[in-house]
Structures are given as C-alpha cells and as structure tokens.
Amino acid sequence: MKKLLLNIIMFFSLVCFAQNEQLAQYYYDKGDFEKAKISYEELLENVPQNTQYFLRTIDCYQQLKQFDVAEKTIQERLDKYKQGNLLVELGYNFQLQKNDVEAKNFYDQALERIKKNPNEVYGISNSFEKKVLLDYALKSYQSATELDPNFNFNYQIALLYGQLGNAEMMISTFLNEAYANPQNSIMIQNQLARFMVDEGDANFNETLRKSLIIRAQKNQDIFWNRYLSWYYVQQKEFEKAFIQEKAIYKRDPESLSNIVNLGQLAIEEDNQEAAKEILGFVLENTKDLELLIQANSYLMKMKIGKAKEKDFAAINTELQALLKQYEISPFTLSLQLIQAHFVAFNLKKPEDGKAIVKKALELQLDDFDVAQAKMELADILLYEEKFNQALIYYSQIELDLKNDVIAHEASLKSAKTSYFKTDFVWALKQFKELKSANTQLIANDALEYFLLINDNTVADSTQTALKQFAKGDYLLYQNRNQEAEAQFQMILKNYKGQEIEAVTLLRLGRIYEKLGDFTLALSQYQNITDHHSDGIYVDEALFFSAEIYNKQLKLPEKAKPLYEKIIFNHQDSIYFVDARKTFRQLRGDTNL
C-alpha cells in the first residue's frame, strides 16, 4: 500500500513538474519574461543541473536588463561546475551591455580553455555558434584541431566559412573533407546544393566549378569526375555531365548504370537531345540485359510522350520488335507495361492493353513488380470508366506496399478516381492526407486538387461547375484532348466570372501547349494574369508563359520579365527556384 501511495505521489509530482515547464515555455514564447523568469527559477531550483533551465533563466534576466543578476548567477555556476562554455555566457552578458573589452576578455579566456583541454571545444564552440559569434566559433574548432589531429571539424568549419561569406574557403574545406572521408560526400553535396540554389552569391557556382575542375586536373582520381558530373546535373547541363560520366566509364566499365540514370534525368528535364545521346551510348556499350531494358524503356517513353498520331504505328512496331528481341520475361516487365499503356491509351484498345498486363502477372514477379503491373491494370480500368474495379487494385497496392513510394502513388490515383467519379467529399479527404506525403511531386499534386475542390465547393455548394470540370479532367486522362478542350470551353462559356474560370484557363493553356498551339496557350495564361491576378494560379500562368517564350518560341527577352515577376512576387511558388535559375541564365550571370 505504501509503495502504491509513493508511486501515486511521484506520478502527480511529474505531472505538476511538466505543467510548470509548459507554463514557463508559454510565458517565454509570449515575451512575458518577468513571469517566465520566476517559472524558470523555480524549475532550476528543483533541477539545478539542468542546462536548458539555467540558460533560459539567464536569458530572462538579460531580456529584463538585469545584467548584474545574470553575471552573478553565471559566475556562481562557473565556480561550481567549471564549464568553459560559461565563460562565453559571461562574455556575452558584457557584450549586451556594450562592454566589448570585457566581453573579448572572457571570449579569449574560453579559447584558452580549449588550448589547455581540447575536449572543451564541444561546449565552447556550441555556445559561440548559438550567440552567432562565428569568428570565435571558427577559432574554437581550429584551435582544437591544431592541438589534436584526431579531431575532425571540417564540416562545421566549412559551414562557418559559408555563414561568414567566405565562399572559397567553404568550398575548399568541404571538398577536402569529401575526398578524405567519401562517406560524408552526400551530406556535403546537400550543403553545397543549398548554397548553389538558395544562398550563394553571384560567383558561388562559378567558384565551385573552377575548384572542381582544378582538382580533377591535378588529381586523376575519378572521385573528382563524379563530383563534376554531380555539379553539372545540379545545373541541368546534362551534356557536360555526360562527358564526365564517359571519362569515368573508360576507367570503370561497371559504371554504366549511372549513365542510364543520367539519361532518365535528361528526359525528366525535357532535354531530348541529351537523353538520346546518353542512352544511345548505353545501348552501344553494354550487353547487360537489365541496362538494355532500362535504356530502351526510357527511350520508348520519351518517344510516346512526344508522338503524334501519325507516329503511333511505327512506335507499336518498335515495341513489338523490342519484346520479340528480349522476350517476355520478368526482366522485360517495364517494356511490357509501356506497351500495354500505349495500346490502351494511344491506340484506344484497352482490352488488348489489359491482356498484356494479365499475361505479365502470370510471370514470376516480386512484390514490387506485381504492384507495378497492378497499377497499370488499374489505370486501364480507370480509362474504361470501371472506377470501382480500378479502386480495388489501387487499394491492394496500398496494402501490399505500405509506406513505399508506389503505395503513395496508388493513394493519389485512388483519390483522383474518386474525383473523376465526382465523389468530392471522399476525394477531398484523401487529397488532404496526401498533402503531407514524403514525395514532393505527390504532395504538390494532392495540394493542387485539394485547393481545386475546396475553393470551388466554397464558391458553389452545388458543385455544378466542379462536376463539369472533373469531366474535362477525366477526358484529359483518357487522352481525348480535343473533347477535353471542348468541355473546358463550355465551362468558360457557362461559368464566366466564377471561381472555376482561372483554373479552366490554365487547363486549356496546357492542352494547347500539348497540341503545339503556343499562341493560343499564351492567350489563356495572359487571361489569368490580366483578370485573376489575385488568384492562386498566377505563378503557374507566368511560369508556363515564360517557358513557352524561352524554350519553344526562342524569345528569351520576352521570357525574362515573366521569370522576374515570379522571383519578386511569388517566392512561395513551387516554380520559384527554376524561375530564378533560368532568369539568371538569361541575364548572363557568371554563377551559372
């Protein structure tokens, strides 16, 4: 009984303590530092060794300009615990009082502590960084490394150089670390990519490029060819990346899979010429069946994506020839599914398409391949307006491969199926959940449809216009572009001035782009920017217009001001990064 009573008392003590901590945090976040100070003092009295409570208490004193109290409290803790980072806290307390001489004195004392005991670098450098005393943080790491070569703070030092605006030293330190410890390369590339895209000054990319080239010239290790290839991929200069990959291949003939992946990236960025050259090289230089199938699959997808109806017969013949050459087996599944999709969606023979998939499902496939085949079968069933059957297959994929990317893709397609059925309540629920998907493309797609349904339901509770719009989207899904165009034109005529108008213009613009009528496409986008400038589709209209002028009509001077509008007026747009990069390119910046 005593033990039970003791447990109950301890439980309630913990609950009360947690509540006190939350209350202190609440006052602190609210900026009520007098009440926060009292709360943190009480917490610190109960747990004197808690560093967070101590630092928060000191911060409250400083916010209330009680610098003498703060100094006394820090000094008492320093006398008791002898921690070097407390010298930084003392120095910062004087800095806040604009007593720079005394502040420097304590900062220098902290650095001296590292020279006596290099292990103190962790606490001291961390305190300097938290106070944004970057020069002192840098000296902390450098001092410790000089005294003990076993320390490796290259990553932290490089980041500090970057924050201090010393791009050359940041790049040099990062590259030295990457070469010395290749296991850290991906982490370093992520940081360099962030500076290339988000934070780099006008010369950052050029400085990085030159540094990589110099290292590749001085050191013949293919490590630097790989780094240069990575750099050019970030810049979407696939031809230059391919030169580096060929150099790697000459010394490492097992590296063709990287070249296949490069070809895929070129296709995704709509650089057909580079993709053909890259994948053609693969076909000429390998007998590996898996790589041959991969390369041919990417090439066929690219051809189908750009094909006109007059090209369909030749493509069908080519697919048949490839499957005859490489035979029907689990290895050629990707080609089989491409053929099934082409036959169903382009040749308008869904029964033949389903027969190809069902034959593929009889093969000895692993779970992932089964999911891919079921996905194609569901897509064809959806094409045939067999919504419920399609949903069954999408659901099976979601259950069989939980948390896999293909399961999220199946979830998205399931949501779109509900949308095509005009079951907007269920579709909205699914899109809402998918907005936070790990895969950015799926999350963006889900967000687009969520806003479409939500906004047009608010504007029209009967959802009459939305139902007509979903019908147009379904016609697009079925590859019936001319019928879809007529449907969207009808919506424009019948619902002019309503919420649905802007997104309808956007759809029409995309249809005209697909049909190659760029003048008509531009007129739809112009209509959005002229009459729906406060809506959510303006950034898309600007970006798609800029892309047409830049890539299709070869009129970069007309594209530049459109990219610029995205940069200055739509920083939250998913097209912001691409717009800024292309704008700089067209402007002739040296960092590209």
Side-chain angles (χ1 to χ4, degrees):
M1 186 67 185
K2 286 181 181 178
K3 190 175 180 181
L4 177 62
L5 187 62
L6 182 63
N7 286 336
I8 291 170
I9 292 168
M10 287 179 66
F11 172 76
F12 280 108
S13 296
L14 287 169
V15 169
C16 291
F17 193 81
Q19 287 177 337
N20 289 342
E21 186 176 15
Q22 289 176 351
L23 189 63
Q25 180 74 43
Y26 169 76
Y27 288 136
Y28 185 86
D29 292 340
K30 191 181 173 185
D32 191 341
F33 297 109
E34 185 64 52
K35 289 180 180 176
K37 178 192 77 170
I38 295 167
S39 297
Y40 278 118
E41 283 175 338
E42 289 176 0
L43 288 165
L44 190 60
E45 190 176 342
N46 286 312
V47 192
Q49 68 275 17
N50 189 297
T51 303
Q52 185 186 357
Y53 297 157
F54 169 74
L55 292 175
R56 281 289 171 88
T57 305
I58 296 300
D59 192 23
C60 288
Y61 292 149
Q62 290 167 344
Q63 294 286 350
L64 295 166
K65 301 194 183 304
Q66 297 173 2
F67 299 114
D68 291 341
V69 180
E71 182 186 347
K72 182 184 175 186
T73 309
I74 298 167
Q75 188 64 57
E76 286 174 353
R77 195 174 184 87
L78 177 61
D79 294 339
K80 183 176 182 180
Y81 293 108
K82 315 295 184 189
Q83 293 170 322
N85 65 297
L86 294 170
L87 291 166
V88 179
E89 297 299 329
L90 273 172
Y92 189 68
N93 195 57
F94 282 107
Q95 184 177 318
L96 290 173
Q97 300 172 72
K98 304 197 183 307
N99 188 341
D100 294 337
V101 174
E102 199 64 28
K104 183 179 183 302
N105 174 38
F106 281 106
Y107 295 154
D108 290 341
Q109 284 185 49
L111 293 176
E112 285 300 315
R113 288 283 288 262
I114 294 173
K115 291 177 182 177
K116 291 175 183 175
N117 179 10
N119 287 318
E120 287 219 54
V121 66
Y122 298 102
I124 291 170
S125 61
N126 186 48
S127 290
F128 278 133
E129 286 194 64
K130 283 184 176 178
K131 307 296 184 196
V132 200
L133 298 164
L134 304 181
D135 283 312
Y136 280 103
L138 187 59
K139 287 175 186 175
S140 300
Y141 288 124
Q142 289 170 334
S143 296
T145 307
E146 286 168 11
L147 290 163
D148 188 347
N150 291 321
F151 280 128
N152 180 5
F153 295 119
N154 284 336
Y155 186 81
Q156 292 89 335
I157 289 170
L159 283 177
L160 286 168
Y161 277 131
Q163 289 173 276
L164 288 165
N166 191 336
E168 283 194 30
M169 283 304 297
M170 182 187 82
I171 289 167
S172 178
T173 309
F174 265 144
L175 296 183
N176 288 341
E177 171 62 15
Y179 189 66
N181 297 292
Q183 70 273 14
N184 294 333
S185 273
I186 292 177
M187 185 168 65
I188 288 167
Q189 285 175 348
N190 288 339
Q191 283 297 336
L192 290 171
R194 184 168 68 84
F195 275 86
M196 289 165 74
V197 173
D198 295 330
E199 299 178 17
D201 61 26
N203 298 309
F204 182 84
N205 290 9
E206 182 64 13
T207 303
L208 176 57
R209 185 184 69 84
K210 285 180 179 177
S211 297
L212 288 168
I213 289 172
I214 289 168
R215 287 165 189 263
Q217 290 170 342
K218 287 182 177 179
N219 184 340
Q220 297 303 305
D221 195 321
I222 61 173
F223 178 87
W224 297 115
N225 296 102
R226 290 197 177 104
Y227 242 84
L228 269 168
S229 176
W230 166 82
Y231 169 83
Y232 287 126
V233 167
Q234 305 310 301
Q235 302 300 98
K236 299 181 182 177
E237 295 179 295
F238 299 107
E239 294 87 350
K240 291 179 181 178
F242 183 40
I243 291 169
Q244 299 303 320
E245 290 296 340
K246 282 193 289 187
I248 296 167
Y249 174 73
K250 285 177 183 177
R251 284 180 280 172
D252 178 16
E254 301 299 315
S255 62
L256 267 175
S257 58
N258 289 337
I259 299 180
V260 174
N261 293 336
L262 182 64
Q264 183 190 13
L265 288 172
I267 291 171
E268 288 173 2
E269 293 299 328
D270 202 25
N271 190 334
Q272 285 196 56
E273 292 307 310
K276 285 178 186 175
E277 184 185 1
I278 294 165
L279 295 172
F281 179 85
V282 174
L283 295 177
E284 290 170 8
N285 287 278
T286 189
K287 292 183 180 177
D288 182 290
L289 181 60
E290 187 175 349
L291 291 178
L292 286 168
I293 298 303
Q294 261 189 294
N296 276 301
S297 295
Y298 291 144
L299 284 168
M300 290 310 304
K301 276 188 176 180
M302 184 171 65
K303 283 183 183 178
I304 292 168
K306 298 293 180 181
K308 305 293 182 188
E309 195 168 344
K310 61 183 177 59
D311 305 316
F312 289 172
I315 288 173
N316 193 39
T317 302
E318 191 173 352
L319 280 167
Q320 289 171 345
L322 285 169
L323 285 166
K324 185 176 181 182
Q325 179 183 352
Y326 297 116
E327 301 179 348
I328 302 296
S329 75
F331 289 106
T332 60
L333 179 67
S334 60
L335 280 173
Q336 294 170 57
L337 298 183
I338 289 168
Q339 184 189 40
H341 194 88
F342 177 76
V343 167
F345 284 80
N346 295 85
L347 299 184
K348 313 295 184 189
K349 296 178 179 178
E351 287 299 326
D352 291 351
K354 285 191 295 184
I356 294 167
V357 179
K358 287 175 180 176
K359 188 176 178 183
L361 281 167
E362 294 172 4
L363 301 168
Q364 294 283 322
L365 304 176
D366 61 30
D367 290 345
F368 182 80
D369 285 342
V370 169
Q372 294 277 32
K374 283 184 175 180
M375 186 84 84
E376 187 56 53
L377 186 57
D379 290 349
I380 297 171
L381 288 165
L382 179 54
Y383 173 91
E384 293 183 297
E385 300 185 38
K386 295 176 180 177
F387 301 116
N388 293 332
Q389 288 183 48
L391 285 170
I392 289 169
Y393 281 106
Y394 290 138
S395 298
Q396 285 178 8
I397 297 165
E398 290 175 71
L399 289 170
D400 293 342
L401 291 174
K402 283 181 180 176
N403 300 322
D404 195 281
V405 172
I406 194 170
H408 291 307
E409 188 182 343
S411 298
L412 181 67
K413 289 186 174 185
S414 178
K416 285 186 178 180
T417 303
S418 299
Y419 164 71
F420 292 145
K421 286 175 64 181
T422 67
D423 184 355
F424 298 130
V425 173
W426 181 239
L428 192 68
K429 182 178 181 296
Q430 290 174 293
F431 286 131
K432 185 178 181 179
E433 290 173 1
L434 286 165
K435 284 193 301 173
S436 56
N438 293 331
T439 310
Q440 193 61 49
L441 285 174
I442 289 174
N444 289 343
D445 213 357
L447 177 61
E448 180 190 338
Y449 280 95
F450 176 82
L451 292 173
L452 170 70
I453 296 171
N454 194 58
D455 291 354
N456 285 283
T457 301
V458 171
D460 174 16
S461 59
T462 65
Q463 299 175 326
T464 309
L466 186 60
K467 288 172 185 174
Q468 294 299 319
F469 191 88
K471 182 180 177 182
D473 268 350
Y474 181 61
L475 290 167
L476 280 180
Y477 173 81
Q478 291 179 305
N479 214 16
R480 293 157 65 182
N481 295 320
Q482 290 182 331
E483 292 172 67
E485 178 199 351
Q487 177 71 10
F488 289 124
Q489 288 289 6
M490 181 271 290
I491 293 170
L492 278 188
K493 181 180 176 183
N494 293 342
Y495 302 96
K496 189 170 181 61
Q498 294 188 25
E499 182 73 30
I500 203 82
E501 184 177 34
V503 68
T504 306
L505 289 165
L506 193 72
R507 286 290 195 276
L508 280 167
R510 298 304 273 169
I511 291 172
Y512 293 136
E513 276 193 69
K514 194 173 180 181
L515 297 173
D517 194 334
F518 300 116
T519 304
L520 259 179
L522 286 168
S523 70
Q524 310 307 309
Y525 300 144
Q526 186 66 50
N527 201 331
I528 294 172
T529 56
D530 286 348
H531 300 107
H532 301 277
S533 57
D534 57 344
I536 62 173
Y537 301 104
V538 178
D539 61 319
E540 290 177 275
L542 289 169
F543 185 76
F544 296 151
S545 298
E547 292 283 280
I548 290 173
Y549 281 125
N550 187 35
K551 294 179 179 178
Q552 305 297 339
L553 303 180
K554 310 299 180 187
L555 296 169
E557 290 306 313
K558 286 197 171 185
K560 272 166 59 178
L562 299 173
Y563 288 127
E564 194 172 21
K565 282 182 181 178
I566 297 171
I567 294 166
F568 288 107
N569 301 330
H570 302 279
Q571 287 93 341
D572 58 344
S573 170
I574 60 172
Y575 303 104
F576 174 78
V577 172
D578 285 336
R580 183 173 61 178
K581 183 178 180 301
T582 309
F583 176 73
R584 287 175 173 176
Q585 230 170 10
L586 296 177
R587 196 174 59 182
D589 284 6
T590 57
N591 67 320
L592 294 164

